């Protein structure tokens, strides 16, 4: 059975509103959500708020529609680099220890999306996130969202893409199958659009978990002894047996 996820529920100070958003996500069939804590480099005095605990938010998390298990609630941190001095596209794709690069739809991109850094990010297991909430009620933002999404699709060809809401209200959520259809506007195939709210989201979560826990990979092979190597391929001599009559 497909498990859907929305990895971008914006953290808000209103606990009741946040509960309503997550309850709505569970009702729409999302198995996993991530509460997104956003930090802007331009606001240097702004600190990173402590993530709200699931126990504090819900004594018992809501049950996912169509499933018999509660919704999984995670947290994430997003750093906004809104000035050229704050970021370098190549550095973000090739060297930063991250899981996601978010392509926002609230403005025209200040840089061109080019193939080498995108392919480098994909090779490192990094995913690109497109958000749909800005496009719901504003025509200009909808145009930016679709334009930026198409620019990304032209380069990555639908690989390593997720689609999230980035919503701050429950009315901003849409069902996973609606979002799959919306992903087609970005140029995603039907299969890639479905993966963008399911299997690709799971891959992002696993990438983050691996980054925190795996320090290395050991690969072992059997070493062939020198004598074995020499004997290999050498024809064996037959032993003659003499019989005295």
């Amino acid at each position: 059975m497909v498990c859907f996820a929305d990895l971008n529920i914006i953290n808000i100070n209103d606990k009741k509103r946040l509960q309503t958003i997550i309850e709505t996500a569970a009702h729409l069939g999302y198995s996993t959500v991530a509460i997104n804590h956003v930090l802007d480099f331009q606001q240097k005095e702004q600190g990173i708020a402590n993530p709200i605990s699931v126990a504090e938010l819900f004594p018992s998390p809501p049950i996912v529609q169509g499933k018999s298990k509660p919704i999984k609630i995670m947290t994430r941190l997003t750093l906004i680099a809104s000035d050229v001095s704050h970021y370098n596209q190549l550095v973000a794709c090739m060297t930063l220890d991250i899981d996601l690069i978010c392509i926002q739809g609230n403005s025209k991109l200040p840089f061109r999306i080019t193939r080498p850094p995108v392919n480098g990010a994909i090779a490192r297991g990094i995913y690109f996130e497109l958000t749909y909430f800005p496009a719901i009620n504003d025509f200009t933002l909808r145009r930016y969202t679709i334009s930026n999404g198409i620019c990304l699709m032209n380069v990555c060809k639908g690989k390593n893409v997720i689609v999230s809401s980035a919503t701050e209200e429950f009315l901003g959520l849409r069902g996973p199958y609606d979002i799959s259809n919306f992903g087609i506007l970005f140029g995603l195939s039907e299969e890639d659009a479905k993966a963008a709210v399911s299997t690709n989201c799971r891959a992002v979560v696993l990438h983050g978990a691996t980054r925190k826990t795996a320090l290395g990979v050991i690969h072992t092979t059997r070493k062939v002894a020198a004598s074995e190597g020499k004997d290999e391929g050498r024809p064996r001599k037959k032993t003659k047996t003499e019989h005295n009559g």
Side-chain angles (χ1 to χ4, degrees):
M1 186 178 292
V2 179
C3 293
F4 297 107
D6 187 334
L7 299 184
N8 196 342
I9 304 295
I10 300 298
N11 182 51
I12 51 180
N13 294 325
D14 191 328
K15 179 181 173 182
K16 201 162 190 64
R17 276 177 59 198
L18 192 56
Q19 288 173 327
T20 302
I21 294 172
I22 295 173
E23 287 169 349
T24 303
H27 179 72
L28 290 172
Y30 289 100
S31 298
T32 303
V33 294
I35 301 173
N36 188 13
H37 298 256
V38 182
L39 180 64
D40 195 331
F41 272 125
Q42 288 186 334
Q43 301 175 4
K44 295 181 180 179
E45 71 283 353
Q46 178 187 1
I48 301 176
N50 291 327
I52 188 169
S53 67
V54 177
E56 181 185 350
L57 196 59
F58 288 106
S60 179
I63 301 298
V64 179
Q65 178 74 19
K67 299 180 183 287
S68 58
K69 61 181 182 179
I71 191 169
K72 184 177 182 180
I73 304 172
M74 311 178 72
T75 58
R76 67 177 264 195
L77 173 67
T78 298
L79 299 178
I80 297 178
S82 53
D83 188 85
V84 177
S85 63
H86 296 157
Y87 67 89
N88 180 290
Q89 184 189 187
L90 185 61
V91 170
C93 288
M94 302 300 290
T95 63
L96 293 185
D97 195 13
I98 57 177
D99 307 306
L100 276 173
I101 296 175
C102 184
I103 306 297
Q104 292 186 312
N106 55 6
S107 63
K108 185 178 180 180
L109 290 177
F111 54 84
R112 285 182 64 247
I113 300 177
T114 55
R115 197 175 301 278
V118 169
N119 288 344
I122 291 173
R124 295 177 60 225
I126 295 173
Y127 280 70
F128 293 88
E129 179 184 49
L130 295 167
T131 56
Y132 65 82
F133 179 63
I136 291 179
N137 296 319
D138 189 293
F139 173 78
T140 301
L141 297 185
R142 187 180 306 129
R143 186 179 62 185
Y144 284 140
T145 298
I146 296 174
S147 175
N148 294 347
I150 290 174
C151 287
L152 176 64
M153 292 310 110
N154 287 337
V155 174
C156 74
K157 306 301 181 185
K159 293 181 180 178
N160 287 43
V161 174
I162 73 167
V163 179
S164 306
S165 65
T167 187
E168 299 180 19
E169 55 187 67
F170 77 94
L171 291 174
L173 283 173
R174 296 294 183 270
Y177 290 104
D178 291 334
I179 301 309
S180 294
N181 293 332
F182 186 69
I184 295 174
L185 294 178
F186 296 130
L188 289 168
S189 66
E190 186 175 343
E191 182 180 354
D192 288 338
K194 187 176 180 180
V197 288
S198 56
T199 54
N200 287 359
C201 295
R202 181 174 182 273
V204 172
V205 173
L206 290 176
H207 185 265
T210 303
R211 217 167 30 82
K212 290 187 294 184
T213 57
L215 299 178
V217 177
I218 299 175
H219 176 65
T220 60
T221 57
R222 179 175 177 270
K223 185 177 180 180
V224 180
S227 58
E228 287 185 48
K230 290 178 182 177
D231 289 340
E232 253 184 49
R234 181 184 298 174
R236 294 183 178 180
K237 295 180 179 179
K238 294 183 179 179
T239 303
K240 293 182 179 180
T241 305
E242 294 182 2
H243 296 275
N244 295 323

